[in-house]
Amino acid sequence: MKVYHVPSYDVMSQKAANLISAQIILYPQSVLGLATGSTPIGVYERLVDKHNNGELDCGGLTTFNLDEYCGLSEDDPQSYHYFMKSHLFSKVNINKEKIHLPDASAKDIEKECKRYDSQIEACGIDLQLLGIGNNGHIGFNEPGAVFEGDTHCVDLDESTILANARFFDDPNDVPRKAVTMGMKSIMLAKRILLVANGEAKRAILEKSLYGPITPLVPASILQLHPDLTVVWSD
Ligand code: PGA
């Protein structure tokens, strides 16, 4: 595990964007696992800057996102489809056919989860970008009795709903359910890059990286990954 403790959100964003760019430049056909949330916004901004400066060609990339809320349409500004479009996909030359997010509005969610897993399995993720929730979740893999391997539908933790209420005008509008990539796809990624920002993440990050490996702290499973990089600013 490599941990970069950096002095600011800007440096965290730049460092993570540099690591992702290096992956893309070395392997233009890379498969990236992507994350949403407030933390990676700066990373995406830097990637867009690099693209605009002619340093980054995203034309060969395939992407898989970690998760999506149930009950929101793709065009809903609170959906993760919308987030990805506005922060990255509409701003770089990515092939729209190679962008994948789970369809959390599918009628048959179980079938959709299986479909998503088989798509990921067929491609294999080269580099997975992750944020971390205050409760240690990665994607929307919430603390629980077991590490869930497959893509699945999840009841969001009260703490997650509370944390994400800041993005919604009315906290009652925060969806209660989501579809998330499971631990298997995350752990099978060749490389994992976790970004975290703010003093509030210090305790959960320490628990995750150095505490016991337990599904009660979902990110603790990352200790078992052979190529984990953490970029953290407090
Ligand atoms: P945040 O969310 O980046 O908005 O803190 C991280 C997460 O919940 O995974």
Side-chain angles (χ1 to χ4, degrees):
M1 172 191 343
K2 280 189 216 109
V3 181
Y4 296 98
H5 183 194
V6 297
S8 67
Y9 179 72
D10 275 352
V11 179
M12 181 211 79
S13 303
Q14 191 65 53
K15 176 87 191 157
N18 287 348
L19 292 167
I20 297 171
S21 309
Q23 170 77 34
I24 299 172
I25 291 165
L26 285 171
Y27 306 102
Q29 309 291 322
S30 287
V31 180
L32 300 182
L34 297 177
T36 51
S38 56
T39 313
I41 290 176
V43 181
Y44 294 140
E45 280 170 4
R46 300 308 186 290
L47 290 175
V48 170
D49 287 348
K50 285 173 186 288
H51 171 72
N52 290 339
N53 295 338
E55 292 168 52
L56 204 59
D57 177 3
C58 299
L61 293 179
T62 298
T63 66
F64 286 94
N65 262 83
L66 283 168
D67 43 22
E68 179 57 288
Y69 286 123
C70 294
L72 301 185
S73 76
E74 291 185 12
D75 300 328
D76 188 310
Q78 302 294 356
S79 76
Y80 288 160
H81 279 78
Y82 192 95
F83 176 103
M84 289 309 301
K85 244 180 260 165
S86 51
H87 289 289
L88 187 67
F89 297 153
S90 66
K91 297 183 171 168
V92 296
N93 66 327
I94 194 156
N95 179 346
K96 306 284 178 280
E97 316 235 304
K98 293 185 173 179
I99 290 170
H100 305 88
L101 287 93
D103 176 8
S105 59
K107 284 217 177 73
D108 187 340
I109 286 284
E110 250 179 63
K111 192 166 158 203
E112 168 59 12
C113 291
K114 287 207 173 88
R115 186 196 65 82
Y116 201 57
D117 276 340
S118 49
Q119 272 189 327
I120 297 171
E121 208 180 314
C123 296
I125 295 174
D126 294 305
L127 188 158
Q128 175 67 55
L129 177 63
L130 295 176
I132 181 169
N134 296 323
N135 62 359
H137 73 204
I138 47 178
F140 274 136
N141 290 280
E142 302 284 33
V146 290
F147 290 113
E148 290 223 36
D150 297 334
T151 295
H152 58 285
C153 185
V154 61
D155 290 320
L156 297 175
D157 242 31
E158 275 311 313
S159 67
T160 299
I161 293 167
L162 209 65
N164 289 0
R166 68 191 195 277
F167 302 115
F168 290 76
D169 291 336
D170 181 346
N172 292 318
D173 290 342
V174 186
R176 269 35 194 176
K177 282 181 184 289
V179 170
T180 182
M181 197 189 277
M183 290 302 196
K184 193 165 100 194
S185 300
I186 294 174
M187 289 300 283
L188 285 175
K190 288 194 193 118
R191 302 171 65 200
I192 295 183
L193 171 58
L194 185 144
V195 288
N197 175 57
E199 189 54 36
K201 294 279 169 76
R202 177 192 290 268
I204 192 62
L205 204 54
E206 281 178 356
K207 249 181 163 176
S208 302
L209 301 182
Y210 307 113
I213 297 170
T214 162
L216 296 173
V217 182
S220 63
I221 199 172
L222 299 175
Q223 292 179 42
L224 301 175
H225 194 278
D227 192 343
L228 169 66
T229 302
V230 178
V231 186
W232 173 54
S233 68
D234 49 8

